[in-house]
Amino acid sequence: MTQQCIKVRVTGKVQGVFFRRSTQQQAQQLGLNGYAKNLSDGSVEVLACGESSALAKLEAFLHQGPPDSEVEHVEVQAVADAQPDGFRVL
């Protein structure tokens, strides 16, 4: 099985609403590695690496977000050469 990586930028009401921690919990349940971090423009960046089916499930979660979030836009791009260990909130 081949590991793939994606970098996702999520905009909307995604900071201060438990978005990064919820993303970490989802990613860990799915066996993904990477990180979630706030960006200075108010968006959240997520790097996730793992099996394509798990990445698809995480991407679906990112479109929804946790209950208090309001996701406006999700931009996904494939990433090469990323090898994170574990899933961290930065």
Side-chain angles (χ1 to χ4, degrees), residues 38-58:
N38 286 339
L39 299 179
S40 60
D41 66 358
S43 65
V44 170
E45 178 181 279
V46 177
L47 174 72
C49 298
E51 295 299 320
S52 60
S53 60
L55 291 172
K57 289 176 184 176
L58 181 66

Side-chain angles (χ1 to χ4, degrees), residues 3 25-33 49-51 54 87:
Q3 176 169 290
Q25 291 171 343
Q26 290 291 319
Q28 288 173 333
Q29 289 175 0
L30 294 167
L32 298 172
N33 294 312
C49 298
E51 295 299 320
F87 199 96

Side-chain angles (χ1 to χ4, degrees), residues 4-79:
Q4 300 175 349
C5 296
I6 57 172
K7 187 176 280 186
V8 185
R9 184 171 169 261
V10 185
T11 60
K13 182 183 171 189
V14 294
Q15 289 190 11
V17 292
F18 204 59
F19 198 94
R20 292 177 298 155
R21 182 74 173 125
S22 296
T23 299
Q24 180 187 39
Q25 291 171 343
Q26 290 291 319
Q28 288 173 333
Q29 289 175 0
L30 294 167
L32 298 172
N33 294 312
Y35 64 79
K37 71 177 180 178
N38 286 339
L39 299 179
S40 60
D41 66 358
S43 65
V44 170
E45 178 181 279
V46 177
L47 174 72
C49 298
E51 295 299 320
S52 60
S53 60
L55 291 172
K57 289 176 184 176
L58 181 66
E59 187 179 336
F61 168 78
L62 294 174
H63 279 273
Q64 183 71 32
D68 290 334
S69 69
E70 295 174 14
V71 175
E72 292 177 3
H73 183 72
V74 178
E75 180 181 324
V76 181
Q77 63 182 18
V79 176

